[in-house]
Amino acid sequence: MSSPEAEAEAEAEAEAEAEAEAEPEPGRAAPGSSAGRTEFLPAVAPQLRALRRRASLTLETAARAAGLSPAHLSRLETGQRQPSLPMLLALARIYATTVSELLGETVADRDAVVRATDMEPTVAGGWTYWQAGAPGRGMQALRVHVPYGSQGDIVRVHPGEEWLYVLQGRLRLRLGDTTHRLTAGDSAHFDSLTPHRIAAEDPDGVELLFVHTLLQSPTATLCLGPITGDMP
């Protein structure tokens, strides 16, 4: 087990590396400018570091569990990069919390009813999603818009179960070695340990209802990584 001093040194090195990589090249926009980056989720950065430390995880350990480099996680914690929805799901499981808490959302009471007027859209990693259930529950319910060409090369493997229902558009779902094409009214329910990928088939994207179990364990992981080649 590393000492607090070693952890602080490793974090400082990762942050220095992240800052060095974030330096703009001549003629390019700075990462913090509107021309050089997408809109940042302001509540996420401080929450990521606080929740990681609450889970007693070093930067290196948490990054490895999420399939990220320490420098990348450091950039997320300092607001230099925007996390995608799969990254938020991964870190929520690793830190034994919810996506809502990562986003800094607090609710006084766990109301059983979520009104459409209370669903605020959040954009992360190209996806737009709305919380369709109460935060802090064992299951997370979302309404999701997956745009065409977004994250179709990302494979996901993690403990738990997922259920999705296609509201509009066509979805390409890869489960293991099998590709499924779903249209409006189709649904899928699968073990999340099965490697899976999601992509929209239509230029207008696809609208989904999405429910996943949130295992309350700091050892739960979501493995992310780019896959070479297109989905068949």
Side-chain angles (χ1 to χ4, degrees):
M1 183 177 295
S2 60
S3 65
E5 292 79 6
E7 177 186 348
E9 182 179 353
E11 291 188 21
E13 290 177 356
E15 289 170 7
E17 180 183 345
E19 290 172 2
E21 292 179 5
E23 287 295 324
E25 297 177 4
R28 294 183 62 184
S33 68
S34 58
R37 60 179 292 180
T38 55
E39 183 179 355
F40 176 63
L41 306 177
V44 174
Q47 283 290 91
L48 288 178
R49 175 166 293 182
L51 292 172
R52 173 175 61 79
R53 289 178 171 171
R54 187 183 74 179
S56 300
L57 294 173
T58 65
L59 188 73
E60 181 178 339
T61 300
R64 183 171 61 251
L68 305 171
S69 69
H72 194 135
L73 181 55
S74 179
R75 287 193 291 270
L76 297 179
E77 291 187 352
T78 56
Q80 296 176 21
R81 290 292 185 272
Q82 177 185 4
S84 66
L85 176 57
M87 285 181 186
L88 291 175
L89 294 174
L91 293 171
R93 289 183 174 92
I94 293 164
Y95 299 159
T97 184
T98 65
V99 171
S100 295
E101 188 173 9
L102 285 181
L103 294 174
E105 299 173 356
T106 57
V107 179
D109 298 307
R110 287 183 174 180
D111 199 334
V113 176
V114 180
R115 302 294 181 185
T117 53
D118 295 331
M119 294 183 188
E120 294 292 334
T122 299
V123 178
W127 294 19
T128 303
Y129 67 97
W130 297 258
Q131 289 283 351
R137 300 289 189 179
M139 294 189 300
Q140 291 286 290
L142 305 169
R143 181 164 62 90
V144 182
H145 174 77
V146 180
Y148 183 77
S150 174
Q151 300 180 10
D153 60 346
I154 300 294
V155 65
R156 305 174 180 88
V157 180
H158 55 90
E161 296 181 23
E162 294 185 29
W163 175 87
L164 58 84
Y165 178 90
V166 180
L167 294 170
Q168 184 176 348
R170 294 182 300 167
L171 175 73
R172 186 162 74 253
L173 172 66
R174 180 73 179 266
L175 294 175
D177 296 327
T178 304
T179 298
H180 305 272
R181 286 173 170 81
L182 286 69
T183 59
D186 292 339
S187 63
H189 189 175
F190 53 91
D191 188 327
S192 303
L193 287 174
T194 302
H196 50 287
R197 287 185 280 180
I198 294 173
E201 290 245 287
D202 297 326
D204 292 335
V206 61
E207 300 282 339
L208 306 173
L209 286 179
F210 177 74
V211 177
H212 66 91
T213 57
L214 189 64
L215 300 184
Q216 298 296 320
S217 168
T219 60
T221 60
L222 174 66
C223 301
L224 301 175
I227 301 301
T228 302
D230 297 328
M231 291 176 62

